[in-house]
Amino acid sequence: SQTIHQWPATLVQPVGSPLSLECTVEGTSNPNLYWYRQAAGRGLQLLFYSIGIDQISSEVPQNLSASRPQDRQFILSSKKLLLSDSGFYLCAWSVWGQGSGNTIYFGEGSWLTVV
Amino acid sequence: QQPVQSPQAVILREGEDAVINCSSSKALYSVHWYRQKHGEAPVFLMILLKGGEQKGHEKISASFNEKKQQSSLYLTASQLSYSGTYFCGTSPSGNTGKLIFGQGTTLQVKP
């Protein structure tokens, strides 16, 4: 069965510091991978999605970037964090199926507080 | 491009019914429904792929009107465990990999 691991679960970072969140998926190959962000009490904002290695689409221009160094690894980074970057970051995966579409499954999330 | 959900919040008593609507201004290939408990990741409920398709999950079901670009989630005889925030996610026509979520509907079921 497929599993998704995301880490770290919680982090507190000062303004201007770098960020790296990692996500790996096991039990499937060539998944679609996603990074979503959820500000406190808000909806799910799509940040990046990738349908393959070196194929990453950015949805919201900001100081974040994403990379996919391996088929099942997705990394979210920032060189300098802003206060507004605080939130709940969710990695997700899907595999396209003709009868199942792009059902996505979320990791457990990472709570980021920028102070 | 973000789908619009209504209502924004619902308060129910156990056993009552609720309907959550989701509409899009773009043509849709699929509609996805998720439920999120406070402090947790969203959990997949169901996906609707075809126009007019209806699906059910226990006492939770959904419909998808492809022509109107709308979907509705039906919660029947609500239970305390149904409390949470419900999100619809929409995917444009074709397998683009992209899934955009609505702003969410908060459902609170009281004893």
Side-chain angles (χ1 to χ4, degrees), chain B residues 95-107:
Chain B
N95 177 24
T96 64
K98 187 173 176 177
L99 188 64
I100 302 292
F101 286 93
Q103 79 278 19
T105 296
T106 301
L107 177 72

Side-chain angles (χ1 to χ4, degrees), chain A residues 34 36 38 43 46 49 51 59 88 90 96 99-104 106-107 111, chain B residues 29 32 34 36 39-42 44 47 49 87 95-101 103:
Chain A
Y34 307 81
Y36 286 88
Q38 189 173 33
L46 178 61
Y49 69 100
I51 61 173
E59 287 297 295
F88 189 39
L90 290 154
W96 167 259
S100 59
N102 254 327
T103 299
I104 75 167
F106 289 93
W111 290 95
Chain B
Y29 178 83
H32 308 229
Y34 289 76
Q36 184 180 31
E40 300 178 3
F44 171 72
I47 179 174
L49 289 172
F87 292 97
N95 177 24
T96 64
K98 187 173 176 177
L99 188 64
I100 302 292
F101 286 93
Q103 79 278 19

Side-chain angles (χ1 to χ4, degrees), chain A residues 30-33 49-53 55-56 68, chain B residues 95-98:
Chain A
N30 195 30
N32 296 330
L33 296 173
Y49 69 100
S50 170
I51 61 173
I53 291 178
Q55 293 179 282
I56 299 173
R68 186 169 177 171
Chain B
N95 177 24
T96 64
K98 187 173 176 177

Side-chain angles (χ1 to χ4, degrees), chain A residues 3-109:
Chain A
T3 56
I4 179 169
H5 303 281
Q6 182 180 342
W7 70 94
T10 306
L11 66 167
V12 179
Q13 296 284 99
V15 169
S17 64
L19 170 73
S20 179
L21 300 178
E22 292 195 36
C23 172
T24 58
V25 180
E26 296 177 356
T28 187
S29 59
N30 195 30
N32 296 330
L33 296 173
Y34 307 81
W35 279 110
Y36 286 88
R37 177 172 65 194
Q38 189 173 33
R42 305 293 294 275
L44 298 160
Q45 180 187 32
L46 178 61
L47 301 176
F48 301 93
Y49 69 100
S50 170
I51 61 173
I53 291 178
D54 297 328
Q55 293 179 282
I56 299 173
S57 297
S58 173
E59 287 297 295
V60 182
Q62 54 205 337
N63 68 323
L64 298 173
S65 62
S67 61
R68 186 169 177 171
Q70 300 180 39
D71 179 46
R72 292 171 291 173
Q73 184 183 21
F74 209 23
I75 298 173
L76 182 70
S77 303
S78 173
K79 291 183 179 178
K80 289 186 178 182
L81 285 169
L82 307 172
L83 287 174
S84 57
D85 290 324
S86 295
F88 189 39
Y89 287 79
L90 290 154
C91 181
W93 70 274
S94 73
V95 174
W96 167 259
Q98 194 63 34
S100 59
N102 254 327
T103 299
I104 75 167
Y105 299 93
F106 289 93
E108 294 189 350

